[in-house]
Amino acid sequence: MTLARYMLLISKNLTDVEDIIPADGSLLLILRRSARVSPEVRAALSAPLDVAQTAVKGKRHEIVVDYGGAAGPDLPALAKRAGMSEAAYIDCHAATEYTVAFLGFQPGFPYLQGLPPTLQAARRASPRQQVAAGSVAIGGRYTGIYPTDGPGGWHVIGRTHTVLFDPQRAAPALLMPGDRVCFVPA
């Protein structure tokens, strides 16, 4: 519903809204300096949603992933916890088409919804001080990809060479809310 409302608001080209940022079950609307919430914004926020009409049809991305080994140190434990072999866990993770729910944590970090319940796992009890850029990870009901090196508390299952964030590109973030992601085992 959050993505559907986001798409509806974006489609309205509301002149008093500078930016709309989706999050986990909410939206942040940033108004232009000295703007007040207009009747158009109020109407767009309270309008009933026809999910079929506002369905998100983002761009589809295939992302190649090296699963397991040094690239995915948490894969064996997660597979065991799920009662699967590592190969079955990888197959299940790669068989799903995910949707970018929102970006956060780091610039361009996609929170990908659609993770099968059997693969879901609470975040690590103790975060790592360093997670490599491109790491594909599991955190709760999401899977995500670390755009840059940095700390992280998710379970790392693989790594991609895909560049998710590049401030030199016209659109710095490769993935946007509503985009779809399919993982392809290397």
Side-chain angles (χ1 to χ4, degrees), residues 50-166:
D50 180 344
V51 177
Q53 284 184 333
T54 55
V56 179
K57 295 178 177 72
K59 185 177 177 184
R60 186 175 187 275
H61 303 266
E62 287 191 359
I63 296 180
V64 176
V65 177
D66 292 317
Y67 284 98
D74 298 322
L75 179 63
L78 287 181
K80 183 177 180 180
R81 182 183 166 282
M84 309 177 165
S85 68
E86 290 179 36
Y89 192 96
I90 292 167
D91 288 345
C92 187
H93 187 261
T96 302
E97 182 176 85
Y98 300 92
T99 302
V100 179
F102 57 97
L103 302 176
F105 170 60
Q106 294 177 339
F109 184 101
Y111 285 77
L112 303 171
Q113 64 186 17
L115 186 67
T118 55
L119 304 186
Q120 295 177 12
R123 294 176 185 201
R124 293 172 47 90
S126 177
R128 290 182 170 94
Q129 290 184 353
Q130 192 69 1
V131 176
S135 291
V136 176
I138 304 293
R141 62 189 176 111
Y142 294 106
T143 191
I145 309 167
Y146 287 79
T148 60
D149 294 342
W154 290 25
H155 300 277
V156 177
I157 61 170
R159 190 172 309 134
T160 181
H161 295 291
T162 301
V163 176
L164 269 71
F165 187 79
D166 179 353

Side-chain angles (χ1 to χ4, degrees), residues 9-29:
L9 291 168
I10 291 291
S11 74
K12 297 287 184 186
N13 293 318
L14 300 162
T15 58
D16 47 348
V17 176
E18 186 172 311
D19 201 1
I20 304 169
I21 302 168
D24 193 3
S26 66
L27 294 170
L28 171 63
L29 272 67

